[in-house]
Amino acid sequence: ARSAAKPAQAVAVLESGAFDRFAFDEGDLALMCASHNSEDRHIERTKSMLTKVDAQESDMRCGGHAPLSDAVYRSWVKRDYEPTAVCSNCSGKHVGMLGGAQALGAAMAGYHLPDHPMQGLVKRVTAELCGLPDDLVQWGIDGCNLPTPAFPLDRLAFLYAQLAHAADASEAQDTELTQRSAALARIYRAMTKYPEMVAGDGRYCTVLMHAFEGELVGKLGADACYGV
């Protein structure tokens, strides 16, 4: 699933208590779910989030890389710009997890390691959202240095169906909305309200969510995997 699983990882950040402790907003939450273009707005928001969690760029365990946007890449080449961790398309997810680690009472150091409490929470939440026992979700290391899940394709559909169902229930002001459903609805709202944070100029995720005006959420994964 790669980055299509980011909404599940963002649920874990919400359930850690980091969102309220560090006063993250919906734009921050959208960036936690992003595979962004490394545009100025994405880099600046990443820096703002680092300030909120009282962390430094050096605490981030993702590296810099060439941007997903050709336009951004051309501008970097012209300026001889050297990308650093805040430029990573996964920067929001990393800062969210730095906050999550602190909210759990764990060290920020090693937040990316499979045996860190933050990743333990991510693994449990992801399995629950897939409706699977923990041992039926396999884990590898993503290109950004974080654990990334593998599970049957229908479980990805199930995850995105829950996002949609939670958003509908929240809009209907369902009084029996669970804490988990409230978190899913919050993520749905953030992604559809700030689609430019989820990807960026000219990117399908952003164009798709703008076009449907909040009625649909979509997120790029890898290897032809896409969540809608």
Side-chain angles (χ1 to χ4, degrees):
R2 294 281 294 275
S3 289
K6 282 177 177 170
Q9 293 167 309
V11 170
V13 174
L14 283 174
E15 293 188 359
S16 74
F19 194 91
D20 295 319
R21 173 173 171 177
F22 296 108
F24 286 133
D25 60 30
E26 287 187 323
D28 299 333
L29 186 55
L31 197 72
M32 290 179 202
C33 299
S35 301
H36 61 68
N37 274 351
S38 308
E39 296 163 11
D40 289 346
R41 59 185 166 191
H42 302 129
I43 294 170
E44 291 308 311
R45 186 168 285 271
T46 300
K47 291 177 178 178
S48 170
M49 291 170 65
L50 280 170
T51 299
K52 289 180 180 181
V53 301
D54 195 23
Q56 306 299 317
E57 186 176 7
S58 58
D59 294 316
M60 299 172 68
R61 296 273 68 84
C62 56
H65 57 73
L68 300 178
S69 163
D70 289 340
V72 172
Y73 190 45
R74 285 194 296 271
S75 74
W76 286 6
V77 170
K78 289 176 182 177
R79 291 185 284 145
D80 197 25
Y81 181 77
E82 191 70 33
T84 58
V86 293
C87 304
S88 168
N89 76 88
C90 300
S91 64
K93 176 173 66 171
H94 280 259
V95 181
M97 289 184 180
L98 284 168
Q102 294 182 73
L104 293 173
M108 287 194 294
Y111 73 92
H112 64 298
L113 298 175
D115 59 354
H116 189 280
M118 185 65 232
Q119 299 310 322
L121 178 59
V122 169
K123 289 179 179 180
R124 177 176 61 79
V125 168
T126 299
E128 290 173 358
L129 288 171
C130 288
L132 293 171
D134 290 357
D135 60 357
L136 288 186
V137 179
Q138 297 181 344
W139 292 84
I141 301 299
D142 210 339
C144 73
N145 234 8
L146 283 172
T148 186
F151 41 73
L153 188 58
D154 72 309
R155 298 296 88 193
L156 186 68
F158 183 60
L159 166 61
Y160 278 78
Q162 288 180 86
L163 274 171
H165 179 72
D168 286 346
S170 177
E171 190 172 334
Q173 298 183 325
D174 187 340
T175 56
E176 297 184 5
L177 199 68
T178 65
Q179 183 178 357
R180 173 68 53 80
S181 292
L184 287 164
R186 203 171 193 179
I187 288 166
Y188 186 103
R189 285 195 304 271
M191 293 177 72
T192 54
K193 185 176 180 180
Y194 295 97
E196 70 282 357
M197 284 296 160
V198 177
D201 290 341
R203 292 276 305 287
Y204 183 69
C205 295
T206 297
V207 173
L208 181 72
M209 287 188 282
H210 268 309
F212 278 84
E213 298 179 340
E215 293 299 315
L216 184 150
V217 69
K219 182 66 191 70
L220 179 76
D223 298 321
C225 180
Y226 197 95
V228 178

